[in-house]
Amino acid sequence: MTDQSVQIGGLTLKNPVLTASGCFGYGLEYDDFYDVAELGGICTKGLSLAPRLGNPPERICETPSGMLNAIGLANVGVEAFCTEKLPRLRERGVTVVANVFASSVEDFVALARRLDAETGVHAIELNVSCPNVKEGGIEFGKDPRMCARVTEAVRAATRLPVWVKMSPEAGDIAGVALACEAAGADAVTAINTIRGLTIDLERRKARLANRTGGLSGPALRPVALRIVWELSSKLRIPVIGIGGVSTARDAVEFLLAGASAVQVGTANFADPSAARKVADGLREYTTARGVAARDLIGGARQ
Ligand SMILES: Cc1cc2nc3c(=O)[nH]c(=O)nc-3n(C[C@H](O)[C@H](O)[C@H](O)COP(=O)(O)O)c2cc1C
């Protein structure tokens, strides 16, 4: 077997395959299927300071080559995560990336401080696709200045690596990513979902209670791949690719485009073992060709 490890800033992952936030619970739910410590890492469901119930149903529906979701960021809250979930992940040796979201810089900082106080958290991923209520409600991730401010404040509040998750809806994604890099981000992850809509013809109403939802799955992959290509050519920090990764071949595509690792999201809903299968397939692909996983990174750009 060739070397599967990759370096994301100061953090070494045993392989380049993680699970994406919101698509793998808190990791423990998948215990019956496989040992999640075999993965490069897991990204937790987005954590907030207080627990949240999220939106009323319907919150998910299938669309061509993908799905729409409007979960509304339901989660147990950072405190319950630290006391009830994290100790079991730590025991199992899982590489844990804590995905967090907030509606003010101060709350992002409070989340980072709380997670920093624990052992067993390996990185913090900032979900900046949420409105900054203190500054007119514009999403952090759409504005380079606001995204840099939150990155810089979190960077100063923790010793953990800070990853910033790019919104594909930012007009100037490269501008946002470069601002985050300058503010001290250790990596960017790309991409979050794109808003979509689907209508039930019998009820003549939107299929989701929230009306719009985030589009994910294979339908998103070419868009994500294009953004990963663009960001990895402009940034010095690593880019982690997300969007429709369902098979090892999809993961290879992202690595060749310039991603240093990938996250598997929606594919977990169809097959709970999807991420492990992607990691297994990537190991077979690289081993058959006598190359290390890291040798693929940016290969299509040379
Ligand atoms: C049901 C669901 C819930 C999600 N929740 C979060 C979340 O809490 N935080 C976040 O940053 N991204 C969240 N995402 C976005 C995914 O992490 C990922 O960026 C997106 O789905 C694209 O990857 P995929 O096509 O592999 O699913 C969620 C996606 C889905 C489908």
Side-chain angles (χ1 to χ4, degrees), residues 188 225-239 254-260 297-298 301:
V188 298
L225 205 60
R226 186 265 300 170
I227 291 172
V228 164
W229 178 289
E230 185 183 345
L231 295 185
S232 58
S233 64
K234 293 191 172 153
L235 298 177
R236 277 169 291 125
I237 55 174
V239 178
F254 271 96
L255 296 179
L256 290 174
S260 296
I297 299 169
R301 299 216 324 266

Side-chain angles (χ1 to χ4, degrees), residues 118-176:
E118 296 289 334
T119 49
V121 179
H122 297 81
I124 297 178
E125 181 178 63
L126 308 180
N127 175 5
V128 288
S129 300
C130 34
N132 179 352
V133 291
K134 291 203 175 155
E135 284 193 43
I138 180 174
E139 283 175 25
F140 287 96
K142 285 188 178 164
D143 181 80
R145 188 187 55 87
M146 261 172 19
C147 214
R149 265 192 48 219
V150 71
T151 305
E152 192 174 17
V154 169
R155 176 65 290 150
T158 175
R159 70 204 144 83
L160 292 166
V162 177
W163 301 357
V164 188
K165 186 161 180 178
M166 296 293 112
S167 166
E169 299 190 351
D172 174 17
I173 303 181
V176 173

